[in-house]
Amino acid sequence: MVKINDNFLKLRGSYLFSTIARKVNEFTAANPEKEIIRLGIGDVTQPLAPAIIDTLHKSVDEMAKAESFMGYAPDLGYEFLRKAISDNDFKARGCDIEADEIFVSDGA
């Protein structure tokens, strides 16, 4: 006999992006003069930019060769990537954030 896990019933009933959409709609209705920059779900009506496609292809080629294959990233993410984020996203905007303060998840 199949039985529902009681813990499943304790889960909240809202999907994050539905909640964001509802709150944006409420804010827009209450503040029609305000411009909204939407950072929720990406725009999937347009193709990826050429720079992204080129980088993805180069990355695939890099992972296909033993001498440039990197495998799994370290637990905090690749140092070169964390340094690039620190330098270009934070320090370039006047924020003193070091690479060792940045965590890059592989999404797992």
Side-chain angles (χ1 to χ4, degrees):
M1 177 172 160
V2 177
K3 181 181 173 195
I4 291 180
N5 181 335
D6 291 333
N7 292 311
F8 181 76
L9 301 173
K10 296 175 187 175
L11 293 174
R12 299 182 90 178
S14 177
Y15 176 58
L16 174 64
F17 293 110
S18 297
T19 301
I20 292 171
R22 180 182 49 77
K23 289 184 176 194
V24 167
N25 289 337
E26 289 171 0
F27 181 86
T28 302
N31 303 278
E33 74 285 357
K34 299 286 185 178
E35 183 179 350
I36 302 290
I37 299 173
R38 296 175 187 269
L39 300 174
I41 299 174
D43 182 357
V44 294
T45 62
Q46 298 295 314
L48 296 174
I52 295 171
I53 295 296
D54 292 342
T55 302
L56 286 170
H57 283 294
K58 288 175 187 172
S59 297
V60 167
D61 292 340
E62 185 177 87
M63 296 299 276
K65 300 175 196 156
E67 59 274 7
S68 54
F69 178 78
M70 291 190 284
Y72 289 117
D75 58 344
L76 298 178
Y78 290 111
E79 174 67 23
F80 73 88
L81 177 58
R82 294 186 298 121
K83 179 157 180 24
I85 292 169
S86 170
D87 292 346
N88 300 309
D89 290 338
F90 291 100
K91 289 182 180 177
R93 293 179 173 88
C95 298
D96 188 24
I97 303 293
E98 298 297 327
D100 65 358
E101 298 176 84
I102 296 171
F103 168 72
V104 178
S105 172
D106 63 3

XYZ file of all heavy atoms in Angstrom:
840
model
N 0.836 -1.180 0.000
C 0.000 0.000 0.000
C 0.880 1.243 0.000
O 1.855 1.339 0.724
C -0.902 -0.026 1.235
C -1.760 1.174 1.367
S -2.901 0.882 2.727
C -3.344 2.511 3.091
N 0.536 2.217 -0.808
C 1.281 3.464 -0.910
C 0.823 4.419 0.181
O -0.379 4.558 0.424
C 1.081 4.111 -2.291
C 1.804 5.441 -2.363
C 1.558 3.189 -3.386
N 1.795 5.070 0.821
C 1.460 6.010 1.887
C 2.243 7.306 1.641
O 3.429 7.266 1.309
C 1.844 5.422 3.239
C 1.520 6.316 4.399
C 1.950 5.676 5.713
C 1.749 6.685 6.812
N 2.434 6.324 8.023
N 1.593 8.437 1.799
C 2.244 9.739 1.632
C 3.173 9.985 2.805
O 2.812 9.754 3.962
C 1.214 10.869 1.535
C 0.442 10.750 0.221
C 1.867 12.229 1.661
C -0.607 11.817 0.024
N 4.364 10.444 2.504
C 5.308 10.849 3.538
C 4.739 12.086 4.230
O 4.502 13.110 3.590
C 6.662 11.149 2.891
C 7.722 11.553 3.891
O 7.422 12.050 4.976
N 8.964 11.346 3.500
N 4.502 12.019 5.520
C 3.908 13.130 6.258
C 4.737 14.410 6.148
O 4.195 15.514 6.216
C 3.731 12.760 7.732
C 2.664 11.691 7.922
O 1.751 11.620 7.078
O 2.755 10.943 8.908
N 6.045 14.268 5.973
C 6.900 15.452 5.846
C 6.626 16.220 4.553
O 6.828 17.431 4.490
C 8.377 15.070 5.934
C 8.735 14.596 7.328
O 8.408 15.254 8.307
N 9.385 13.455 7.408
N 6.169 15.501 3.535
C 5.812 16.157 2.281
C 4.697 17.169 2.501
O 4.680 18.238 1.896
C 5.391 15.113 1.240
C 5.042 15.696 -0.085
C 6.024 16.138 -0.955
C 3.715 15.830 -0.468
C 5.698 16.691 -2.184
C 3.379 16.384 -1.691
C 4.381 16.811 -2.548
N 3.784 16.850 3.379
C 2.652 17.731 3.656
C 3.075 19.005 4.392
O 2.334 19.985 4.416
C 1.592 16.986 4.466
C 1.026 15.734 3.779
C 0.102 14.973 4.724
C 0.320 16.103 2.488
N 4.280 19.006 4.953
C 4.785 20.177 5.684
C 5.463 21.188 4.756
O 5.773 22.301 5.176
C 5.781 19.747 6.751
C 5.167 18.874 7.831
C 6.242 18.388 8.798
C 5.679 17.387 9.776
N 6.746 16.820 10.629
N 5.706 20.795 3.515
C 6.380 21.699 2.576
C 5.490 22.880 2.241
O 4.272 22.752 2.142
C 6.745 20.957 1.282
C 7.803 19.874 1.407
C 7.942 19.130 0.082
C 9.139 20.473 1.820
N 6.122 24.030 2.021
C 5.370 25.219 1.633
C 4.851 25.037 0.212
O 5.502 24.426 -0.621
C 6.271 26.444 1.709
C 6.774 26.667 3.142
C 7.612 27.881 3.184
N 6.700 28.990 3.474
C 7.090 30.229 3.629
N 8.327 30.556 3.502
N 6.209 31.170 3.899
N 3.737 25.621 -0.057
C 3.074 25.405 -1.336
C 3.437 26.385 -2.435
O 2.753 26.449 -3.432
N 4.503 27.154 -2.286
C 4.806 28.184 -3.270
C 6.104 27.901 -4.011
O 7.092 27.487 -3.426
C 4.923 29.538 -2.570
O 5.277 30.528 -3.502
N 6.070 28.151 -5.295
C 7.249 28.069 -6.137
C 7.868 29.462 -6.161
O 7.166 30.458 -6.329
C 6.828 27.612 -7.540
C 7.921 27.575 -8.566
C 9.058 26.802 -8.371
C 7.816 28.303 -9.735
C 10.061 26.756 -9.320
C 8.813 28.263 -10.703
C 9.941 27.490 -10.483
O 10.927 27.448 -11.423
N 9.172 29.566 -5.971
C 9.848 30.849 -5.829
C 9.485 31.844 -6.928
O 9.129 32.985 -6.651
C 11.363 30.654 -5.783
C 12.192 31.932 -5.771
C 11.926 32.736 -4.507
C 13.661 31.610 -5.909
N 9.540 31.415 -8.185
C 9.314 32.362 -9.264
C 7.850 32.802 -9.353
O 7.556 33.905 -9.793
C 9.820 31.805 -10.597
C 11.323 31.675 -10.617
C 11.934 30.438 -10.601
C 12.126 32.808 -10.607
C 13.316 30.329 -10.608
C 13.507 32.708 -10.603
C 14.101 31.457 -10.603
N 6.946 31.955 -8.906
C 5.540 32.374 -8.829
C 5.373 33.466 -7.782
O 4.638 34.436 -7.980
C 4.646 31.186 -8.459
O 4.711 30.207 -9.450
N 6.057 33.300 -6.663
C 6.002 34.308 -5.597
C 6.603 35.621 -6.077
O 6.044 36.698 -5.838
C 6.758 33.806 -4.350
O 6.145 32.585 -3.916
C 6.717 34.826 -3.227
N 7.733 35.544 -6.769
C 8.361 36.758 -7.302
C 7.417 37.454 -8.272
O 7.212 38.669 -8.191
C 9.709 36.429 -7.995
C 10.738 35.980 -6.951
C 10.222 37.623 -8.791
C 12.018 35.424 -7.543
N 6.818 36.698 -9.193
C 5.903 37.281 -10.181
C 4.716 37.958 -9.496
O 4.325 39.069 -9.867
C 5.410 36.203 -11.149
N 4.164 37.318 -8.470
C 3.038 37.904 -7.749
C 3.451 39.206 -7.079
O 2.760 40.221 -7.175
C 2.503 36.915 -6.709
C 1.317 37.459 -5.910
C 0.814 36.484 -4.853
N 1.835 35.910 -3.992
C 2.427 36.560 -2.969
N 2.088 37.802 -2.693
N 3.336 35.952 -2.241
N 4.610 39.217 -6.421
C 5.064 40.425 -5.724
C 5.381 41.553 -6.709
O 5.092 42.721 -6.437
C 6.279 40.111 -4.855
C 5.907 39.274 -3.646
C 7.088 39.054 -2.734
C 6.644 38.297 -1.498
N 7.636 38.339 -0.436
N 5.967 41.205 -7.851
C 6.258 42.220 -8.869
C 4.949 42.808 -9.390
O 4.821 44.021 -9.553
C 7.103 41.630 -10.019
C 7.140 42.561 -11.223
C 8.521 41.331 -9.535
N 3.974 41.949 -9.657
C 2.679 42.428 -10.145
C 1.990 43.331 -9.124
O 1.421 44.365 -9.482
C 1.772 41.253 -10.523
C 2.247 40.548 -11.774
O 2.960 41.125 -12.594
N 1.880 39.293 -11.914
N 2.058 42.956 -7.860
C 1.464 43.784 -6.805
C 2.169 45.143 -6.725
O 1.520 46.184 -6.616
C 1.553 43.065 -5.455
C 0.624 41.882 -5.331
C 0.890 41.053 -4.073
O 1.806 41.395 -3.284
O 0.177 40.044 -3.884
N 3.504 45.123 -6.785
C 4.266 46.370 -6.708
C 3.963 47.255 -7.912
O 3.762 48.465 -7.777
C 5.764 46.088 -6.627
C 6.600 47.324 -6.534
C 6.847 47.917 -5.301
C 7.124 47.927 -7.673
C 7.604 49.078 -5.201
C 7.879 49.083 -7.586
C 8.119 49.655 -6.343
N 3.919 46.648 -9.102
C 3.651 47.396 -10.331
C 2.264 48.036 -10.286
O 2.098 49.186 -10.686
C 3.778 46.470 -11.557
O 5.099 45.918 -11.571
C 3.552 47.219 -12.856
N 1.296 47.301 -9.788
C -0.074 47.844 -9.687
C -0.114 49.014 -8.715
O -0.811 50.010 -8.961
C -1.040 46.755 -9.249
N 0.638 48.921 -7.627
C 0.639 49.988 -6.622
C 1.552 51.153 -6.992
O 1.399 52.254 -6.470
C 1.070 49.416 -5.272
N 2.502 50.911 -7.910
C 3.496 51.933 -8.284
C 3.695 51.962 -9.793
O 4.784 51.660 -10.288
C 4.836 51.631 -7.597
C 4.718 51.560 -6.109
O 4.723 52.576 -5.435
N 4.609 50.347 -5.583
N 2.663 52.310 -10.568
C 2.761 52.236 -12.031
C 3.835 53.154 -12.625
O 4.296 52.916 -13.738
C 1.367 52.638 -12.505
C 0.745 53.356 -11.365
C 1.378 52.818 -10.126
N 4.250 54.172 -11.900
C 5.261 55.096 -12.422
C 6.684 54.563 -12.266
O 7.624 55.113 -12.841
C 5.134 56.458 -11.711
C 5.637 56.488 -10.278
C 4.733 55.821 -9.245
O 3.635 55.341 -9.579
O 5.145 55.784 -8.077
N 6.861 53.501 -11.508
C 8.195 52.945 -11.248
C 8.600 51.970 -12.355
O 7.796 51.153 -12.807
C 8.224 52.199 -9.905
C 7.900 53.057 -8.711
C 9.048 53.967 -8.383
C 8.739 54.728 -7.091
N 9.786 55.584 -6.668
N 9.860 52.067 -12.764
C 10.411 51.125 -13.741
C 10.931 49.904 -12.995
O 11.572 50.026 -11.955
C 11.550 51.774 -14.519
C 12.129 50.887 -15.586
C 13.256 51.552 -16.371
O 13.463 52.767 -16.210
O 13.939 50.844 -17.118
N 10.655 48.725 -13.501
C 11.077 47.478 -12.864
C 12.177 46.843 -13.712
O 12.021 46.665 -14.917
C 9.899 46.473 -12.755
C 8.737 47.069 -11.975
C 10.356 45.161 -12.151
C 9.001 47.256 -10.521
N 13.267 46.488 -13.065
C 14.308 45.690 -13.711
C 14.093 44.261 -13.223
O 14.261 43.966 -12.053
C 15.716 46.187 -13.338
C 15.887 47.630 -13.791
C 16.778 45.274 -13.955
C 17.178 48.279 -13.316
N 13.700 43.397 -14.114
C 13.344 42.027 -13.732
C 14.576 41.127 -13.750
O 15.226 40.979 -14.776
C 12.277 41.482 -14.669
C 10.979 42.277 -14.564
C 9.949 41.810 -15.588
N 8.806 42.676 -15.564
C 7.727 42.490 -14.819
N 7.660 41.443 -14.030
N 6.722 43.331 -14.858
N 14.874 40.542 -12.599
C 16.020 39.649 -12.473
C 15.593 38.250 -12.034
O 16.387 37.481 -11.512
C 17.018 40.223 -11.461
C 17.589 41.598 -11.824
C 18.455 42.125 -10.685
C 18.384 41.534 -13.107
N 14.345 37.912 -12.254
C 13.837 36.601 -11.859
C 14.250 35.536 -12.856
O 15.405 35.145 -12.942
N 13.331 35.098 -13.651
C 13.602 34.078 -14.654
C 14.178 34.759 -15.891
O 13.714 35.814 -16.303
C 12.300 33.330 -15.007
C 11.749 32.642 -13.758
C 12.543 32.313 -16.113
C 10.396 31.999 -13.955
N 15.187 34.153 -16.486
C 15.834 34.728 -17.659
C 14.918 34.792 -18.864
O 13.886 34.126 -18.926
N 15.298 35.598 -19.825
C 14.536 35.756 -21.065
C 14.945 34.648 -22.025
O 16.043 34.662 -22.573
C 14.823 37.134 -21.675
C 14.024 37.383 -22.954
O 13.303 36.474 -23.404
O 14.139 38.485 -23.500
N 14.079 33.684 -22.211
C 14.400 32.569 -23.101
C 13.768 32.749 -24.474
O 13.579 31.790 -25.206
C 13.982 31.216 -22.478
C 14.797 30.917 -21.244
C 12.496 31.212 -22.147
N 13.461 33.980 -24.824
C 12.899 34.249 -26.149
C 13.981 34.675 -27.132
O 13.712 34.836 -28.311
C 11.836 35.363 -26.080
O 12.461 36.569 -25.628
C 10.703 34.973 -25.144
N 15.195 34.857 -26.642
C 16.299 35.287 -27.490
C 17.424 34.258 -27.414
O 17.630 33.628 -26.382
C 16.833 36.651 -27.027
C 15.810 37.770 -27.096
C 15.404 38.066 -28.516
O 16.250 38.179 -29.402
N 14.107 38.180 -28.749
N 18.188 34.109 -28.499
C 19.317 33.158 -28.472
C 20.443 33.682 -27.583
O 20.497 34.872 -27.254
C 19.760 33.102 -29.938
C 19.301 34.386 -30.519
C 18.041 34.768 -29.788
N 21.323 32.791 -27.200
C 22.490 33.194 -26.426
C 23.356 34.140 -27.245
O 23.442 34.017 -28.473
C 23.313 31.964 -26.028
C 22.628 30.975 -25.091
C 23.497 29.743 -24.905
C 22.320 31.619 -23.758
N 24.027 35.044 -26.559
C 24.903 36.004 -27.228
C 26.108 35.274 -27.827
O 26.570 34.266 -27.276
C 25.379 37.053 -26.227
N 26.637 35.763 -28.957
C 27.791 35.117 -29.598
C 28.979 34.914 -28.646
O 29.653 33.883 -28.711
C 28.154 36.075 -30.735
C 26.853 36.740 -31.076
C 26.135 36.895 -29.756
N 29.237 35.860 -27.759
C 30.359 35.714 -26.824
C 30.161 34.498 -25.921
O 31.122 33.794 -25.582
C 30.514 36.977 -25.985
N 28.923 34.223 -25.536
C 28.638 33.063 -24.685
C 28.829 31.775 -25.483
O 29.456 30.827 -25.015
C 27.211 33.146 -24.107
C 27.112 34.345 -23.161
C 26.827 31.847 -23.414
C 25.708 34.661 -22.703
N 28.313 31.743 -26.693
C 28.456 30.559 -27.549
C 29.929 30.261 -27.799
O 30.378 29.116 -27.675
C 27.703 30.751 -28.891
C 26.196 30.866 -28.642
C 28.010 29.622 -29.873
C 25.561 29.628 -28.058
N 30.712 31.293 -28.151
C 32.146 31.101 -28.401
C 32.850 30.536 -27.173
O 33.661 29.603 -27.275
C 32.812 32.418 -28.809
C 32.360 32.912 -30.168
O 31.807 32.100 -30.952
O 32.562 34.105 -30.455
N 32.526 31.076 -26.007
C 33.160 30.616 -24.766
C 32.749 29.187 -24.436
O 33.590 28.384 -23.998
C 32.828 31.568 -23.604
O 33.276 32.882 -23.961
C 33.506 31.143 -22.329
N 31.491 28.849 -24.647
C 31.053 27.474 -24.410
C 31.791 26.500 -25.325
O 32.242 25.438 -24.885
C 29.538 27.347 -24.617
C 28.659 27.941 -23.523
C 27.202 27.972 -23.978
C 28.802 27.167 -22.231
N 31.938 26.850 -26.600
C 32.665 25.983 -27.534
C 34.126 25.834 -27.122
O 34.670 24.727 -27.133
C 32.572 26.531 -28.962
C 31.253 26.272 -29.617
N 30.794 25.018 -29.933
C 30.273 27.125 -29.999
C 29.602 25.098 -30.489
N 29.258 26.369 -30.532
N 34.770 26.922 -26.740
C 36.169 26.851 -26.293
C 36.290 25.986 -25.046
O 37.251 25.219 -24.896
C 36.714 28.256 -26.027
C 36.951 29.055 -27.285
C 37.377 30.478 -26.964
C 37.444 31.317 -28.227
N 37.677 32.735 -27.935
N 35.322 26.107 -24.144
C 35.353 25.313 -22.912
C 35.189 23.827 -23.194
O 35.856 22.991 -22.575
C 34.260 25.789 -21.955
O 34.497 27.124 -21.572
N 34.319 23.488 -24.134
C 34.140 22.086 -24.505
C 35.432 21.549 -25.098
O 35.888 20.445 -24.747
C 32.963 21.918 -25.495
C 32.967 20.534 -26.137
C 31.647 22.176 -24.783
N 36.066 22.316 -25.984
C 37.332 21.890 -26.577
C 38.405 21.707 -25.508
O 39.198 20.766 -25.557
C 37.806 22.903 -27.625
C 36.917 22.928 -28.860
O 36.186 21.927 -29.091
O 36.939 23.937 -29.589
N 38.423 22.604 -24.530
C 39.394 22.522 -23.435
C 39.196 21.236 -22.628
O 40.165 20.573 -22.248
C 39.224 23.744 -22.542
C 40.229 23.875 -21.431
C 40.018 25.153 -20.650
O 39.207 25.140 -19.698
O 40.652 26.163 -20.996
N 37.963 20.884 -22.366
C 37.681 19.688 -21.576
C 37.890 18.393 -22.370
O 37.887 17.302 -21.796
C 36.244 19.745 -21.042
C 36.002 20.903 -20.082
S 37.032 20.827 -18.624
C 36.059 19.725 -17.629
N 38.081 18.493 -23.679
C 38.255 17.318 -24.524
C 39.714 16.890 -24.650
O 40.006 15.874 -25.270
C 37.673 17.594 -25.911
N 40.638 17.660 -24.066
C 42.065 17.348 -24.171
C 42.637 17.070 -22.786
O 42.363 17.799 -21.830
C 42.818 18.530 -24.790
C 42.347 18.889 -26.176
C 43.069 20.125 -26.650
C 42.331 20.718 -27.837
N 42.596 22.125 -27.986
N 43.455 16.017 -22.690
C 44.033 15.640 -21.399
C 44.847 16.775 -20.788
O 44.809 17.001 -19.578
C 44.907 14.394 -21.556
N 45.580 17.525 -21.614
C 46.462 18.576 -21.078
C 45.712 19.801 -20.561
O 46.260 20.581 -19.784
C 47.518 19.007 -22.110
C 46.971 19.552 -23.411
C 46.650 18.499 -24.463
O 46.714 17.294 -24.167
O 46.321 18.894 -25.589
N 44.445 19.982 -20.953
C 43.695 21.143 -20.469
C 42.423 20.753 -19.692
O 41.720 21.615 -19.197
C 43.327 22.069 -21.634
O 42.639 21.358 -22.642
N 42.190 19.441 -19.560
C 41.023 18.967 -18.806
C 41.176 19.341 -17.339
O 42.236 19.182 -16.751
C 40.905 17.450 -18.955
C 39.763 16.854 -18.177
C 38.471 16.949 -18.655
C 39.986 16.214 -16.968
C 37.408 16.402 -17.950
C 38.930 15.662 -16.261
C 37.644 15.757 -16.752
N 40.098 19.882 -16.729
C 40.186 20.310 -15.334
C 39.376 19.441 -14.385
O 39.604 19.478 -13.186
C 39.734 21.769 -15.208
C 40.706 22.730 -15.850
S 40.358 24.435 -15.463
C 38.970 24.775 -16.507
N 38.392 18.701 -14.840
C 37.611 17.862 -13.946
C 36.782 18.675 -12.973
O 36.415 19.813 -13.245
N 36.496 18.089 -11.825
C 35.698 18.784 -10.819
C 36.456 19.978 -10.263
O 37.653 19.912 -10.021
C 35.336 17.853 -9.663
C 34.330 16.788 -10.023
C 34.664 15.451 -9.958
C 33.048 17.136 -10.425
C 33.744 14.477 -10.282
C 32.123 16.164 -10.757
C 32.482 14.835 -10.676
O 31.554 13.884 -11.007
N 35.725 21.043 -10.016
C 36.328 22.240 -9.418
C 36.596 21.988 -7.936
O 35.961 21.138 -7.318
C 35.382 23.426 -9.579
N 37.536 22.741 -7.344
C 37.745 22.657 -5.898
C 36.470 23.055 -5.154
O 35.555 23.638 -5.743
C 38.856 23.676 -5.639
C 39.499 23.923 -6.961
C 38.440 23.679 -7.992
N 36.424 22.791 -3.859
C 35.197 23.003 -3.088
C 34.673 24.433 -3.129
O 33.478 24.656 -3.069
C 35.382 22.558 -1.635
C 36.524 23.276 -0.924
O 37.367 23.885 -1.594
O 36.551 23.227 0.323
N 35.540 25.429 -3.252
C 35.092 26.828 -3.295
C 34.962 27.366 -4.718
O 34.546 28.496 -4.922
C 36.055 27.719 -2.512
C 36.184 27.410 -1.029
C 37.205 28.324 -0.374
C 34.844 27.535 -0.329
N 35.351 26.566 -5.701
C 35.361 27.019 -7.093
C 36.792 27.274 -7.531
O 37.713 27.360 -6.708
N 37.000 27.381 -8.824
C 38.350 27.621 -9.344
C 38.874 28.978 -8.892
O 38.162 29.982 -8.939
C 38.360 27.560 -10.871
C 38.150 26.169 -11.408
C 36.990 25.832 -12.076
C 39.120 25.195 -11.232
C 36.791 24.555 -12.572
C 38.938 23.910 -11.714
C 37.773 23.595 -12.380
O 37.587 22.326 -12.861
N 40.124 29.013 -8.473
C 40.757 30.250 -8.001
C 40.736 31.323 -9.093
O 40.432 32.479 -8.821
C 42.194 29.971 -7.552
C 42.975 31.208 -7.177
C 42.471 31.923 -5.931
O 41.809 31.293 -5.095
O 42.738 33.133 -5.804
N 41.046 30.955 -10.343
C 41.076 31.951 -11.419
C 39.711 32.602 -11.606
O 39.614 33.798 -11.873
C 41.574 31.342 -12.741
C 40.584 30.428 -13.424
C 39.637 30.946 -14.311
C 40.602 29.069 -13.198
C 38.729 30.115 -14.940
C 39.701 28.221 -13.824
C 38.757 28.750 -14.696
N 38.644 31.826 -11.432
C 37.293 32.360 -11.589
C 36.932 33.261 -10.413
O 36.396 34.355 -10.594
C 36.286 31.222 -11.721
C 34.816 31.620 -11.810
C 34.578 32.560 -12.992
C 33.940 30.382 -11.919
N 37.254 32.822 -9.207
C 36.948 33.637 -8.031
C 37.733 34.944 -8.057
O 37.223 35.993 -7.694
C 37.216 32.842 -6.748
C 36.240 31.668 -6.619
C 36.331 30.903 -5.318
N 37.613 30.280 -5.127
C 38.423 30.528 -4.090
N 38.082 31.365 -3.150
N 39.571 29.906 -3.998
N 38.990 34.904 -8.543
C 39.782 36.133 -8.664
C 39.182 37.056 -9.718
O 39.098 38.273 -9.521
C 41.233 35.811 -9.001
C 42.088 37.057 -9.150
C 43.523 36.796 -8.925
C 44.419 37.997 -9.058
N 43.872 39.299 -8.874
N 38.747 36.505 -10.838
C 38.126 37.320 -11.884
C 36.847 37.974 -11.368
O 36.584 39.154 -11.652
C 37.831 36.465 -13.120
N 36.060 37.247 -10.590
C 34.834 37.811 -10.015
C 35.195 38.921 -9.036
O 34.601 39.998 -9.049
C 33.990 36.710 -9.336
C 33.434 35.750 -10.391
C 32.871 37.319 -8.503
C 32.819 34.483 -9.808
N 36.177 38.657 -8.190
C 36.618 39.660 -7.215
C 37.086 40.937 -7.909
O 36.662 42.040 -7.561
C 37.760 39.075 -6.370
O 38.363 40.056 -5.578
N 37.940 40.788 -8.912
C 38.525 41.949 -9.597
C 37.518 42.700 -10.458
O 37.442 43.924 -10.416
C 39.704 41.509 -10.480
C 40.895 41.023 -9.679
O 40.928 41.269 -8.445
O 41.785 40.388 -10.273
N 36.737 41.955 -11.247
C 35.880 42.586 -12.256
C 34.477 42.933 -11.784
O 33.864 43.865 -12.303
C 35.799 41.695 -13.496
C 37.170 41.475 -14.102
O 37.900 42.420 -14.345
N 37.543 40.229 -14.297
N 33.962 42.186 -10.827
C 32.601 42.450 -10.352
C 32.572 43.270 -9.070
O 31.604 43.971 -8.821
C 31.836 41.146 -10.125
C 31.503 40.434 -11.422
O 31.471 41.100 -12.469
O 31.287 39.214 -11.390
N 33.593 43.154 -8.250
C 33.576 43.857 -6.965
C 34.583 45.000 -6.911
O 34.208 46.160 -6.752
C 33.801 42.868 -5.815
C 32.646 41.932 -5.624
C 32.683 40.639 -6.120
C 31.499 42.355 -4.971
C 31.602 39.785 -5.963
C 30.410 41.505 -4.809
C 30.471 40.224 -5.310
N 35.872 44.682 -7.041
C 36.900 45.726 -6.923
C 36.725 46.808 -7.978
O 36.943 47.980 -7.705
C 38.287 45.103 -6.985
C 38.613 44.307 -5.745
C 40.006 43.727 -5.795
C 40.256 42.938 -4.509
N 41.557 42.293 -4.530
N 36.309 46.431 -9.175
C 36.091 47.411 -10.241
C 34.993 48.403 -9.884
O 34.920 49.493 -10.438
C 35.741 46.689 -11.551
N 34.145 48.019 -8.926
C 33.053 48.894 -8.483
C 33.305 49.472 -7.091
O 32.403 49.965 -6.432
C 31.745 48.110 -8.495
C 31.314 47.726 -9.899
C 30.027 46.915 -9.861
N 29.523 46.677 -11.193
C 29.870 45.643 -11.956
N 30.731 44.745 -11.520
N 29.355 45.503 -13.163
N 34.570 49.355 -6.636
C 34.945 49.962 -5.369
C 34.675 49.124 -4.135
O 34.780 49.623 -3.020
N 34.349 47.846 -4.302
C 34.095 46.971 -3.155
C 35.328 46.114 -2.887
O 35.826 45.437 -3.784
C 32.910 46.052 -3.430
S 31.368 46.925 -3.702
N 35.814 46.156 -1.669
C 37.027 45.412 -1.319
C 36.674 43.974 -0.943
O 36.623 43.612 0.235
C 37.749 46.123 -0.170
C 39.108 45.513 0.103
O 39.682 44.889 -0.811
O 39.598 45.648 1.244
N 36.425 43.166 -1.947
C 36.086 41.755 -1.751
C 37.212 40.920 -2.361
O 37.554 41.084 -3.534
C 34.749 41.398 -2.449
C 33.612 42.273 -1.946
C 34.431 39.910 -2.289
C 33.217 42.055 -0.510
N 37.796 40.053 -1.556
C 38.897 39.199 -2.006
C 38.358 37.880 -2.560
O 37.245 37.452 -2.225
C 39.858 38.918 -0.852
C 40.524 40.154 -0.285
C 41.408 40.871 -1.295
O 42.021 40.203 -2.158
O 41.479 42.099 -1.228
N 39.154 37.219 -3.388
C 38.758 35.954 -3.990
C 38.417 34.901 -2.945
O 37.521 34.082 -3.141
C 39.852 35.447 -4.919
N 39.111 34.926 -1.801
C 38.840 33.913 -0.773
C 37.519 34.138 -0.035
O 37.118 33.343 0.800
C 39.998 33.786 0.211
C 40.232 35.039 1.045
O 39.527 36.050 0.848
O 41.135 34.995 1.900
N 36.827 35.217 -0.360
C 35.512 35.501 0.216
C 34.382 35.075 -0.734
O 33.217 35.288 -0.431
C 35.367 36.986 0.508
C 36.371 37.503 1.528
C 36.260 38.995 1.731
O 35.398 39.416 2.540
O 37.016 39.737 1.070
N 34.745 34.508 -1.875
C 33.771 34.159 -2.915
C 33.662 32.639 -3.033
O 34.661 31.941 -3.052
C 34.180 34.782 -4.266
C 34.140 36.306 -4.136
C 33.285 34.292 -5.395
C 34.723 37.033 -5.310
N 32.438 32.161 -3.110
C 32.145 30.747 -3.313
C 31.420 30.603 -4.637
O 30.431 31.286 -4.879
C 31.265 30.239 -2.161
C 30.669 28.881 -2.411
C 31.455 27.752 -2.387
C 29.324 28.747 -2.673
C 30.905 26.495 -2.612
C 28.756 27.508 -2.899
C 29.549 26.378 -2.864
N 31.926 29.726 -5.501
C 31.280 29.479 -6.784
C 30.757 28.033 -6.762
O 31.521 27.076 -6.748
C 32.259 29.657 -7.962
C 31.574 29.340 -9.285
C 32.800 31.077 -7.978
N 29.442 27.902 -6.746
C 28.818 26.585 -6.719
C 28.720 26.020 -8.116
O 28.514 26.741 -9.085
C 27.415 26.719 -6.115
O 26.715 25.497 -6.254
N 28.851 24.707 -8.213
C 28.651 24.065 -9.512
C 27.188 23.741 -9.747
O 26.815 23.158 -10.746
C 29.504 22.802 -9.626
C 29.126 21.735 -8.609
O 28.158 21.938 -7.850
O 29.800 20.696 -8.578
N 26.347 24.148 -8.792
C 24.915 23.960 -8.945
C 24.400 22.620 -8.447
O 23.222 22.338 -8.521
N 25.290 21.793 -7.921
C 24.876 20.453 -7.463
C 24.075 20.535 -6.184
O 24.275 21.321 -5.337
C 26.094 19.563 -7.263
